Amino acid sequence: MHESSAATSPSFPQPISPDLHPVPQPVIEPLADRVISLGGPVEGKLGTFTISARLRNRSVLNDTDLARDEITEVLETAARLKKLRQNGKPHNYLPGKTLGMLFQHPSTRTRVSFEAGMAQLGGQAIFLGVNDLQMKRGETIADTAQVLSRYVDGIAARVSTHDELLQLSGAASIPVFNCLTDKSHPLQALADLLTLQERCGSLAGLKLAYLGDGNNMCHSLLLTSAAMGVNLAVAAPAAHQPDPEVVKHASWLASGSGATVTISDDPLAAARDADAIYTDVHVSMGQKDGPARAVALAPYKVTTAVMAAGRPNAVFMHCLPMHRDQEVAAEVADGPQSVIFDQAENRLHLHKAILLHSLCTPNRAH
Ligand code: CP
Ligand code: NVA
């Protein structure tokens, strides 16, 4: 009903003369396309899984690509998929879909969770290490993107620079997912919010302290936390603080969500009364100034004293891989407050949610 009335009643003005610029016509989606039903009786044993259609065919390149309510929905989908997996219920909602995985850097969590996630959803992933592609012999990333777009339904990419990710997605005609660049790690930050939500019930009003390098991970936590109303306190030495443009953007998002963003060089002040204390490696992949960076960041190591400054039930977080006794004391990393392996597990559920939203084909029988 809604489909036909929306399609046949254009109540907006038409251009009055072909010489004038055309009046932009609003896109009216039929109601049925705003909600997608997957599975259900026609698909055999698969239960019906309903999601909104707004993330269909969408890429995730930057932390700001998803609005607050979209992040909320993705986290909810991830939690639903997690429950299905825990209960041994089939959820192969992406049959026949293929994900290409273009990786220029090593990976354990991102690679395996995407590959396993695609298999669990009934699709398949093809790992494309850059050394095995013609890119090694100079084929451009844009040509590679155009070729992959003819074979697969989406591309998960871990590339050295954010510019390369933008070149890839600019040339691709299929969704592209940022699996880490020098600038950001959006899917890790989303999975981390899922972990925080599981631990604390709700996100708005929590305090997350990030100690260490103002790097890709710090940027993604800044933007994603600010969007979701999580107060973020970053402590880093002056020379290694996050990009001021990212901080400005995060502060703007925070002003809309009621959160605060604080940048300082004082680790104990940042950790004070925090619900979660987060760190990352002091030297990221591709950084050339390792030894100097390690010295500058040593005072930002998360120790038992830092954890004691947080709330009594504060959790310790790290995206991994970690170097025990460099950025975090081994007793903290392996202690009762650590949720690092929950974070790693949640990469799987979060990636499955993103894949489902972006790559699914609606079941027209509903
Ligand atoms: N956290 C993370 O992205 O881990 P990998 O480098 O192992 O993928
Ligand atoms: N900041 C780290 C994150 C690894 C998941 C890096 O870029 O190497």
Side-chain angles (χ1 to χ4, degrees):
M1 297 291 274
H2 291 277
E3 283 182 61
S4 57
S5 61
T8 55
S9 50
S11 54
F12 293 85
Q14 301 297 312
I16 50 171
S17 152
D19 299 334
L20 298 177
H21 290 294
V23 174
Q25 297 297 302
V27 177
I28 303 172
E29 278 192 340
L31 185 58
D33 282 353
R34 293 187 214 150
V35 173
I36 297 176
S37 264
L38 304 166
V42 293
E43 301 283 346
K45 288 199 180 112
L46 264 183
T48 305
F49 199 101
T50 304
I51 53 177
S52 77
R54 58 192 167 174
L55 295 177
R56 216 163 149 250
N57 294 322
R58 292 254 303 266
S59 294
V60 181
L61 304 173
N62 301 305
D63 299 286
T64 47
D65 285 350
L66 301 183
R68 182 179 187 161
D69 58 337
E70 292 171 336
I71 294 177
T72 301
E73 183 175 357
V74 167
L75 298 183
E76 200 180 293
T77 302
R80 290 165 70 194
L81 290 169
K82 183 170 185 173
K83 208 168 280 168
L84 288 176
R85 177 166 159 78
Q86 284 169 343
N87 294 336
K89 294 264 171 53
H91 49 282
N92 43 317
Y93 295 111
L94 292 181
K97 300 287 175 167
T98 308
L99 180 73
M101 298 181 54
L102 179 64
F103 275 49
Q104 289 181 341
H105 282 307
S107 166
T108 299
R109 281 142 289 270
T110 312
R111 173 183 177 171
V112 179
S113 57
F114 261 112
E115 289 196 36
M118 252 337 245
Q120 290 163 23
L121 289 168
Q124 74 175 81
I126 305 174
F127 185 76
L128 304 163
V130 79
N131 287 335
D132 295 325
L133 297 176
Q134 293 290 9
M135 276 175 66
K136 177 133 197 251
R137 293 176 56 239
E139 187 165 27
T140 67
I141 200 160
D143 287 352
T144 306
Q146 293 193 68
V147 172
L148 293 181
S149 297
R150 306 289 179 108
Y151 302 141
V152 300
D153 301 290
I155 302 173
R158 172 168 285 193
V159 289
S160 302
T161 67
H162 204 75
D163 277 352
E164 285 168 294
L165 183 76
L166 298 181
Q167 281 170 37
L168 175 71
S169 84
S173 52
I174 53 177
V176 175
F177 310 113
N178 177 351
C179 288
L180 184 92
T181 69
D182 55 339
K183 192 175 158 200
S184 60
H185 200 4
L187 301 180
Q188 175 75 53
L190 291 173
D192 294 337
L193 288 190
L194 178 62
T195 306
L196 261 183
Q197 192 169 270
E198 287 172 348
R199 287 277 160 172
C200 305
S202 67
L203 294 172
L206 295 178
K207 179 179 178 184
L208 173 61
Y210 176 93
L211 273 56
D213 191 18
N215 61 12
N216 42 12
M217 199 60 249
C218 179
H219 290 164
S220 288
L221 289 171
L222 271 165
L223 292 164
T224 311
S225 301
M228 298 308 288
V230 175
N231 303 305
L232 193 70
V234 175
H240 299 286
Q241 292 192 340
D243 180 343
E245 281 303 311
V246 173
V247 175
K248 209 158 87 183
H249 199 152
S251 303
W252 179 79
L253 288 169
S255 68
S257 72
T260 56
V261 172
T262 318
I263 313 291
S264 78
D265 60 3
D266 183 342
L268 283 178
R272 192 164 302 127
D273 295 327
D275 297 284
I277 298 173
Y278 199 119
T279 192
D280 184 12
V281 289
H282 286 172
V283 184
S284 287
M285 291 183 273
Q287 287 176 339
K288 305 269 185 265
D289 54 346
R293 200 172 268 274
V295 169
L297 288 159
Y300 296 83
K301 173 175 168 181
V302 179
T303 59
T304 49
V306 170
M307 289 306 294
R311 291 167 70 90
N313 57 353
V315 293
F316 169 69
M317 303 182 81
H318 193 308
C319 56
L320 305 180
M322 66 178 158
H323 299 107
R324 284 180 178 78
D325 291 327
Q326 287 182 26
E327 70 271 11
V328 55
E331 58 196 327
V332 172
D334 300 317
Q337 290 168 282
S338 176
V339 296
I340 55 179
F341 297 114
D342 291 338
Q343 290 176 260
E345 177 187 338
N346 281 336
R347 298 294 302 284
L348 172 70
H349 310 300
L350 191 282
H351 293 164
K352 285 165 72 177
I354 292 286
L355 290 167
L356 191 67
H357 276 281
S358 181
L359 304 188
C360 69
T361 301
N363 179 355
R364 290 289 167 193
H366 286 273

